[in-house]
């Protein structure tokens, strides 16, 4: 579970002393790893939030986080979900790939009588601290919907799977809508016709695939294996759009000549490795995104789409357009 920014919020709201005590209770300095796009176990998240509540004496802690929560802050998984074409597609993406974000949780979408309901069921319901986590989950779902609708859009109702508090007013003020309690999961109810709302396209948005999400969660390199380290460096450069032997040598604090010799001893060479990774990335982008051939060519650092097309055909036996038509038609048939 991503907790980016939570430690900084606790420090700002309650001070360093409270944060230090919370880290001791959790036995993990979350702030030191959150920038690595790590995902914290839900049990650790609830322990953290419970310790903050006890240390700060704030019973409505989770509601304080609501304005700070955004799908765009949930790492590569959040970016992947928001890259869907429509709100409906984004919810389906979130549901089908949730294991890349939280193990053991699930998201369900249902529609009845013109009302859609997206429901999040957590594996740690009922644990100390979950009351605050439930508010954060609701805020994440609300952020997902508002990314396709409007920053000030309001749902029909929110349900929380926590006991009814003494007063529901703080919750309704935080979410700007009616809130029900003692539910089976954290749910947001909204008009079903909104599911077709298309995404707002951003000019500088980068194409992203599920493979990116997996790489973000699982480090690809074995640091004890030289070839794995080189491959990881090339992947990073290909994803950035420019790959060169000079940059790789500099990153590994060696010379180009020494790098090439070391690769030769492994039976590999830099150009071949780079081409293989570029073609793998091209396959991912052609299959998993709607980016144009020109956009994919530029993202991979090719000088021209024609150069990309020739290289792709040589490696795969098909043009980029032919490959995309084949995988998309195969997907539609299954």
């Amino acid at each position: 579970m991503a907790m980016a920014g939570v430690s900084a919020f606790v420090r700002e709201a309650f001070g360093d002393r409270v944060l230090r005590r919370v880290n001791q209770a959790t036995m993990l300095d979350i702030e030191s790893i959150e920038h690595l796009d790590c995902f914290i176990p839900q049990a650790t998240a609830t322990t953290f939030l419970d310790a903050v509540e006890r240390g700060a004496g704030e019973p409505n802690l989770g509601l304080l986080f609501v304005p700070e929560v955004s799908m765009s802050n949930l790492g590569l998984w959040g970016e992947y979900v928001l890259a869907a074409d429509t709100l409906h597609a984004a919810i389906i993406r979130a549901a089908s790939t949730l294991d890349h974000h939280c193990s053991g949780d699930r998201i369900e979408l249902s529609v009845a009588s013109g009302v859609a309901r997206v429901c999040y069921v957590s594996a740690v319901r009922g644990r100390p601290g979950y009351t605050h986590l439930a508010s954060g989950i609701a805020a994440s779902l609300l952020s997902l919907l508002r990314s396709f609708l409007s920053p000030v859009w309001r749902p029909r109702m929110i349900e929380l799977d926590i006991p009814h508090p003494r007063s529901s007013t703080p919750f309704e003020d935080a979410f700007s809508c009616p809130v029900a309690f003692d539910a089976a999961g954290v749910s947001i109810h909204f008009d079903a016709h909104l599911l077709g709302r298309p995404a707002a396209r951003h000019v500088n948005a980068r194409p992203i695939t599920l493979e990116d999400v997996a790489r973000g969660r699982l480090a690809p390199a074995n640091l004890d294996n030289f070839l794995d380290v080189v491959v990881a460096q090339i992947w990073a450069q290909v994803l950035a759009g420019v790959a060169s032997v000079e940059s790789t040598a500099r990153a590994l604090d060696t010379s180009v000549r020494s790098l090439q010799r070391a690769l030769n001893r492994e039976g590999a060479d830099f150009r071949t490795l780079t081409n293989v990774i570029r073609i793998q990335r091209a396959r991912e982008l052609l299959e998993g995104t709607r980016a144009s051939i020109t956009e994919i060519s530029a993202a991979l650092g090719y000088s021209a789409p024609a150069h990309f097309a020739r290289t792709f055909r040589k490696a795969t036996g098909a043009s980029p357009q032919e490959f995309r038509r084949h995988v998309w038609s195969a997907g539609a048939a299954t």
Side-chain angles (χ1 to χ4, degrees):
M1 173 166 291
M3 293 187 66
V6 174
S7 294
F9 179 88
V10 171
R11 178 187 293 108
E12 182 177 348
F14 306 115
D16 278 324
R17 187 175 182 182
V18 168
L19 182 58
R20 284 197 301 270
R21 289 179 176 176
V22 169
N23 286 339
Q24 290 173 356
T26 311
M27 294 186 290
L28 177 67
D29 182 0
I30 290 174
E31 192 171 28
S32 68
I33 61 172
E34 64 183 21
H35 68 288
L36 300 176
D37 202 36
C38 293
F39 294 88
I40 314 302
Q42 295 97 309
T44 300
T46 53
T47 298
F48 181 94
L49 295 171
D50 182 56
V52 175
E53 177 190 348
R54 290 186 283 105
E58 177 51 72
N60 289 327
L61 173 67
L63 298 181
L64 300 181
F65 294 147
V66 168
E68 311 298 324
V69 174
S70 172
M71 280 293 292
S72 61
N73 292 334
L74 297 185
L76 288 169
W77 180 77
E79 189 176 348
Y80 175 71
V81 170
L82 294 178
D85 290 334
T86 65
L87 175 57
H88 180 264
I91 294 173
I92 297 303
R93 273 194 178 192
S96 62
T97 64
L98 189 58
D99 279 348
H100 289 277
H101 179 60
C102 292
S103 300
D105 294 0
R106 69 180 190 273
I107 294 176
E108 301 168 346
L109 175 65
S110 59
V111 178
S113 302
V115 177
R117 173 177 173 267
V118 57
C119 178
Y120 190 113
V121 180
S122 173
V124 293
R125 295 173 58 191
R127 285 182 58 92
Y130 178 71
T131 296
H132 312 304
L133 184 61
S135 294
I137 291 171
S140 295
L141 293 177
L142 191 58
S143 170
L144 168 57
L145 294 168
R146 285 175 170 168
S147 296
F148 287 80
L149 303 176
S150 160
V152 295
W153 173 83
R154 299 180 182 183
R156 285 172 170 254
M157 180 178 70
I158 287 178
E159 293 179 309
L160 298 177
D161 53 352
I162 61 175
H164 200 298
R166 292 182 179 180
S167 172
S168 61
T169 300
F171 290 84
E172 293 176 345
D173 288 345
F175 292 112
S176 301
C177 71
V179 179
F181 301 90
D182 297 304
V186 176
S187 301
I188 295 185
H189 297 243
F190 57 99
D191 293 337
H193 71 86
L194 296 174
L195 286 169
R197 187 67 61 88
R201 291 303 177 196
H202 303 289
V203 175
N204 295 323
R206 61 171 178 161
I208 184 168
T209 68
L210 184 56
E211 289 83 2
D212 293 324
V213 180
R215 276 191 292 271
R217 185 170 187 184
L218 301 174
N222 173 1
L223 295 181
D224 295 325
N225 185 296
F226 171 77
L227 189 57
D228 282 351
V229 172
V230 174
V231 167
Q233 288 292 332
I234 296 174
W235 261 112
Q237 292 178 47
V238 167
L239 293 175
V242 179
S244 72
V245 65
E246 292 81 9
S247 295
T248 303
R250 189 180 308 114
L252 298 180
D253 194 25
T254 189
S255 67
V256 170
R257 190 172 183 179
S258 295
L259 172 61
Q260 291 172 328
R261 285 177 173 174
L263 285 173
N264 288 338
R265 288 194 294 270
E266 297 284 342
D269 68 87
F270 185 85
R271 177 174 292 183
T272 299
L273 287 175
T274 302
N275 286 340
V276 168
I277 291 171
R278 273 184 168 149
I279 295 302
Q280 175 60 34
R281 179 59 174 162
R283 289 172 180 265
E284 295 173 4
L285 293 173
L286 289 166
E287 181 174 1
T289 78
R290 294 187 179 276
S292 69
I293 304 303
T294 298
E295 290 170 334
I296 292 173
S297 172
L300 293 173
Y302 287 96
S303 57
H307 181 202
F308 163 56
R310 284 195 300 271
T311 304
F312 189 86
R313 181 182 287 278
K314 183 177 180 180
T316 67
S319 71
Q321 294 90 337
E322 291 168 344
F323 175 84
R324 173 172 273 174
R325 282 198 299 270
H326 175 74
V327 296
W328 282 10
S329 61
T334 58

